């Protein structure tokens, strides 16, 4: 009976220890995120070149368009259709 009491006491102490350590890890993680966000600058996304944006999208040939239309029709049971397609 004495061993059962010691076992329960050890279990409670162990669970409380794990709980406290997890709280410390969570709070240190939050602190690290705040520090990194304050210190490290945000990345600047380079604007796309105007020439690439103004160039027309490459047209898809008739064979590829027919294959796309057949595939969409088959997958949707004839309910879907391809309005337009372009290479990216």
């Amino acid at each position: 009976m004495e061993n059962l009491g010691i076992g329960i006491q050890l279990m409670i102490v162990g669970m409380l220890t794990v709980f406290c350590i997890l709280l410390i890890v969570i709070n240190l993680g939050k602190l690290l995120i705040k520090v990194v966000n304050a210190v490290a600058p945000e990345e600047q996304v380079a604007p796309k070149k105007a020439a690439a944006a103004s160039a027309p999208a490459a047209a898809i040939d008739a064979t590829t368009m027919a294959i796309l239309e057949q595939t969409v029709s088959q997958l949707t049971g004839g309910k879907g259709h391809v309005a337009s397609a372009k290479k990216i």
Side-chain angles (χ1 to χ4, degrees), residues 7-88:
I8 291 174
Q9 183 181 8
L10 182 62
M11 179 186 68
I12 292 172
V13 169
M15 290 177 74
L16 286 173
T17 303
V18 169
F19 182 74
C20 291
I21 290 173
L22 286 175
L23 284 177
I24 292 169
V25 168
I26 290 170
N27 289 324
L28 286 176
K30 288 180 182 180
L31 178 66
L32 178 64
I33 290 170
K34 287 181 182 178
V35 168
V36 168
N37 286 336
V39 173
E42 237 179 83
E43 289 185 19
Q44 298 294 327
V45 178
K48 293 183 179 181
K49 294 181 180 177
S54 65
I60 294 181
D61 59 70
T63 306
T64 305
M65 191 65 176
I67 292 171
L68 287 172
E69 289 174 352
Q70 288 177 351
T71 304
V72 169
S73 178
Q74 183 180 9
L75 289 174
T76 62
K79 295 180 182 177
H81 67 283
V82 178
S84 67
K86 61 182 177 180
K87 291 183 181 180
I88 53 172

